[in-house]
Amino acid sequence: MSPFIEIHGVSKTFKEKEILTNVTFSLERGEILSLVGASGSGKSTFLRILSGLEFATEGKVLIDGTDISSSKPQNRPIGMVFQQPLLFPHMNVLENVMYGLEMKRTKKRERKRGAKDFIERVGLGEVMYHYPAELSGGQQQRVSLIRSLILKPKLLLLDEPFSNLDPQMRKDLRQWVLTMFKEEGTTVLFVTHDRDEAYEMGDRVAVLHEGRFLRIGTPEEIYYRPGFPFVASFMSDGLILPRQQFIHSSHLRISSSRQNLSLPNWQGKVRQKRFIAGTNIYEIWVEELKQKINLPLEWESSHETIWLYSEAENIQTFHIEE
């Protein structure tokens, strides 16, 4: 059986500059893929191609076996939620949610009943007749999300939908949204700059770098075996060593003395200690590698200079970037 979403060799060139290069991957029905990358890596261009707002220079996009590469945006079974909720200010919550259903050509009574049921189900019944200006930022984004979900899109694109919310609201909304997606069986491409958010939301995580998918895998695979220097620096914790090598922080140990350390080791300067959620977190500067590392260790010392060490077998070798 073919995957539900198939992206084959999507490339985009603009004024002789390559924005995307041979992006290829697939998604199963109901799968959530977190897409991360630095600014300018091509994330927004990729979303615009999937939504039909731009066309790829090369490649194909298939949804449920149908090639939609040349389809107009309104003919694609795709929903999209942006950083800003983009609600109609002159419509209340119910009217905003009903709006998309008008395209279905169902009777107004049926649209209203369906929208009301959905709004009640997601806990917004008390604000059903409120206007966007009367809602909190989190409530506005919930309305924006359910307005897309009620249309049952085959693919939902989320472009950093929580970036304008405060940390606690962002955390609460992530949990709410994840539950909704799993209940609805929605297939999602979730774009974010936030590493923790990507890991929490995604069944898999894809790292986009300079227009290419460097790495795609489960959160555990990306975090513990990043495979490439950029992925390690962007999505993991550890030391990037010379000769294309990496050691994850989970394999690093600390000693207050270099004596009797025959294992690979590096001198570090303890800059500060923080106490977070019951754990001592040490910020350590490794001059030899020009890198900072934060280690959650139960360790007490008055020494400012320490040594990090590890078994050689725990040192990974990076893939060679093409």
Side-chain angles (χ1 to χ4, degrees), residues 111-269:
R111 295 200 305 269
K112 192 171 185 177
R113 183 172 61 249
K116 276 187 171 183
D117 289 345
F118 213 98
I119 291 167
E120 291 282 0
R121 182 179 147 206
V122 301
L124 290 173
E126 292 184 358
V127 297
M128 188 180 302
Y129 297 104
H130 290 202
Y131 289 86
E134 301 173 290
L135 306 178
S136 69
Q139 288 173 327
Q140 289 182 27
Q141 199 59 284
R142 286 190 190 202
V143 176
S144 180
L145 283 160
I146 64 175
R147 185 175 60 181
S148 293
L149 283 174
I150 201 170
L151 297 176
K152 306 291 184 183
K154 291 188 175 181
L155 175 64
L156 182 61
L157 308 177
L158 300 182
D159 188 8
E160 301 191 63
F162 313 138
S163 61
N164 294 322
L165 304 177
D166 65 65
Q168 186 57 50
M169 186 178 292
R170 187 170 180 155
K171 181 179 179 181
D172 293 343
L173 195 54
R174 279 204 306 259
Q175 295 170 350
W176 178 86
V177 166
L178 191 56
T179 300
M180 282 293 300
F181 289 161
K182 291 305 180 181
E183 286 180 355
E184 292 291 310
T186 309
T187 308
V188 180
L189 182 63
F190 180 85
V191 173
T192 179
H193 275 96
D194 188 307
R195 183 183 81 171
D196 294 336
E197 192 166 83
Y199 285 145
E200 182 179 344
M201 293 293 295
D203 298 308
R204 287 188 297 158
V205 177
V207 182
L208 187 63
H209 180 53
E210 296 181 346
R212 295 174 181 267
F213 270 32
L214 272 187
R215 189 89 163 85
I216 185 168
T218 66
E220 291 78 13
E221 289 169 342
I222 300 295
Y223 182 67
Y224 289 107
R225 297 184 295 281
F228 295 89
F230 176 80
V231 181
S233 64
F234 202 67
M235 297 297 294
S236 190
D237 295 300
L239 293 177
I240 298 175
L241 310 178
R243 297 185 295 278
Q244 294 290 305
Q245 291 182 317
F246 173 73
I247 180 165
H248 193 271
S249 61
S250 61
H251 292 303
L252 287 169
R253 301 294 180 264
I254 279 183
S255 173
S256 59
S257 171
R258 201 171 194 174
Q259 292 181 356
N260 302 320
L261 282 183
S262 58
L263 301 168
N265 61 83
W266 303 269
Q267 187 183 72
K269 295 282 188 181

Side-chain angles (χ1 to χ4, degrees), residues 29-44:
R29 190 186 300 269
E31 185 178 11
I32 301 174
L33 178 70
S34 292
L35 176 60
V36 295
S39 297
S41 60
K43 300 189 303 298
S44 295

